[in-house]
């Protein structure tokens, strides 16, 4: 949680400063990029005390992956995100979910707003995956397994974003399951950084352009099935969500299979070499 704050607070200060001073120019890119580069290098084991370098490198879990694992990580992650959006559309007809609002950018140029969306997504991807799927999930995963690790990181992910709004806790646990399972299967946060960044760019752009989240109806059309009854639109959303979930489960199963083929033999060889030495 401290690492997440350290990563986000300077970014927030820079973004607010850009919105107040010369908002027509996206000057936030350079200082944010420099800070993010330093953040990534230090958490990954560079600089700082040599005594903690290896611990930082292992905790971050930013190991490179073979192309085949990259491929199936992207397939699984994208299908998982799509399934989550479809499920949220169903949930949004059952319970009233909090409205999502884009912050005030009326004084900023289109270029500055787009820079905020893209750079903000990159920061979120790197900072949150390093903190939650790396430093936080890794030790819990090793001690108690993937399920407790996903539950803990999901709840703390909710705390970091919204102060633990109860109705959205399942959503954040689901996000932790999507990204956390990929990090667990691949032993790397690199695919989840890409997925997290891409997902944030899509959702923020959609919110900016439409005024509501991709899984919510436009304002004035928020109607629960308890008020309107189950209509054809609702059952169609249920059908799409079931197809999405089945597709995502298939992709994650395939990723697990590829992981067993490509990663586990390497780990066994590494353990054997350590025992011999």
């Amino acid at each position: 949680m401290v690492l997440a704050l350290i990563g986000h607070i300077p970014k927030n200060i820079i973004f607010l400063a850009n919105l107040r001073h010369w908002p027509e120019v996206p000057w936030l890119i350079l200082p944010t990029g420099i800070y993010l580069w330093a953040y990534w290098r230090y958490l990954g084991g560079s600089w700082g005390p040599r005594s903690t370098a290896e611990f930082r490198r292992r905790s971050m879990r930013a190991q490179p992956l073979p192309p085949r694992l990259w491929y199936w990580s992207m397939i699984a992650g994208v299908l998982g995100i799509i399934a989550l959006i479809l499920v949220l559309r169903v949930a949004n007809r059952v319970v009233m979910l909090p409205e999502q609002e884009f912050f005030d950018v009326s004084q900023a140029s289109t270029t500055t707003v787009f820079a905020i969306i893209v750079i903000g997504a990159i920061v979120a991807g790197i900072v949150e995956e390093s903190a939650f799927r790396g430093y936080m999930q890794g030790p819990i995963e090793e001690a108690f397994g993937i399920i407790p690790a996903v539950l803990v990181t999901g709840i703390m992910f909710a705390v970091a974003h919204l102060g633990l709004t109860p109705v959205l806790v399942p959503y954040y646990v689901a996000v932790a399951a999507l990204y956390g399972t990929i990090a667990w299967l691949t032993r790397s946060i690199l695919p989840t950084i890409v997925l997290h960044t891409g997902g944030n760019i899509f959702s923020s752009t959609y919110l900016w352009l439409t005024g509501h989240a991709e899984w919510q109806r436009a304002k004035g059309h928020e109607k629960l099935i308890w008020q309107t009854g189950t209509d054809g639109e609702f059952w169609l959303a249920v059908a799409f969500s079931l197809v999405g979930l089945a597709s995502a489960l298939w992709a994650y199963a395939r990723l697990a299979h590829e992981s067993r083929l490509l990663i586990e033999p390497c780990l066994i060889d590494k353990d054997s070499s350590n025992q011999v030495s």
Side-chain angles (χ1 to χ4, degrees):
M1 295 294 286
V2 171
L3 292 179
L5 289 174
I6 292 173
H8 276 301
I9 289 176
K11 176 264 294 182
N12 292 341
I13 294 173
I14 294 170
F15 282 19
L16 287 173
N18 198 160
L19 289 173
R20 292 179 181 177
H21 307 284
W22 306 295
E24 65 279 1
V25 179
W27 57 262
L28 62 94
I29 296 174
L30 182 60
T32 307
I34 292 172
Y35 181 78
L36 188 60
W37 173 75
Y39 179 93
W40 173 265
R41 293 278 295 176
Y42 180 78
L43 290 193
S46 299
W47 309 335
R50 290 187 178 181
S51 59
T52 65
E54 179 59 19
F55 167 79
R56 285 181 278 129
R57 187 192 66 79
R58 285 187 289 103
S59 297
M60 195 171 185
R61 300 207 296 185
Q63 291 85 357
L65 295 175
R68 194 164 183 82
L69 274 185
W70 267 105
Y71 175 79
W72 283 106
S73 295
M74 294 298 103
I75 295 293
V78 170
L79 290 178
I81 292 169
I82 292 172
L84 180 58
I85 292 173
L86 294 173
V87 170
L88 281 172
R89 288 187 174 181
V90 174
N92 201 42
R93 293 293 308 278
V94 178
V95 296
M96 189 63 71
L97 299 176
E99 288 187 4
Q100 306 294 305
E101 294 183 355
F102 202 76
F103 52 92
D104 183 17
V105 291
S106 56
Q107 302 301 316
S109 66
T110 300
T111 304
T112 300
V113 175
F114 187 69
I116 287 174
I117 289 174
V118 174
I119 302 301
I122 295 172
V123 172
I126 290 176
V127 169
E128 293 172 10
E129 292 308 306
S130 299
F132 290 102
R133 251 62 67 184
Y135 276 76
M136 183 182 289
Q137 179 177 308
I140 302 172
E141 191 183 291
E142 291 180 6
F144 303 104
I146 183 60
I147 294 177
V150 162
L151 290 174
V152 171
T153 55
I155 292 171
M156 300 311 293
F157 202 45
V159 171
H161 282 76
L162 293 169
L164 197 58
T165 304
V167 73
L168 287 179
V169 170
Y171 163 74
Y172 283 103
V173 171
V175 172
L178 289 178
Y179 296 150
T181 302
I182 291 175
W184 172 59
L185 290 173
T186 62
R187 277 71 168 179
S188 177
I189 63 168
L190 294 183
T192 63
I193 289 174
V194 174
L195 291 165
H196 196 145
T197 300
N200 277 24
I201 290 174
F202 170 75
S203 61
S204 296
T205 303
Y206 192 97
L207 181 61
W208 174 40
L209 295 177
T210 66
H212 60 89
E214 67 276 8
W215 43 267
Q216 288 184 311
R217 290 180 166 194
K219 291 182 179 179
H221 298 275
E222 310 95 333
K223 295 181 180 179
L224 303 181
I225 59 172
W226 319 116
Q227 301 168 327
T228 63
T230 55
D231 49 24
E233 181 185 348
F234 173 75
W235 290 117
L236 187 63
V238 170
F240 275 121
S241 67
L242 291 175
V243 172
L245 285 170
S247 302
L249 289 173
W250 166 79
Y252 273 85
R254 185 58 187 266
L255 175 61
H257 173 72
E258 296 295 333
S259 174
R260 286 193 295 270
L261 291 177
L262 297 173
I263 290 183
E264 292 186 10
C266 297
L267 294 176
I268 292 172
D269 291 343
K270 185 177 180 180
D271 289 341
S272 299
S273 299
N274 291 336
Q275 290 174 5
V276 169
S277 60

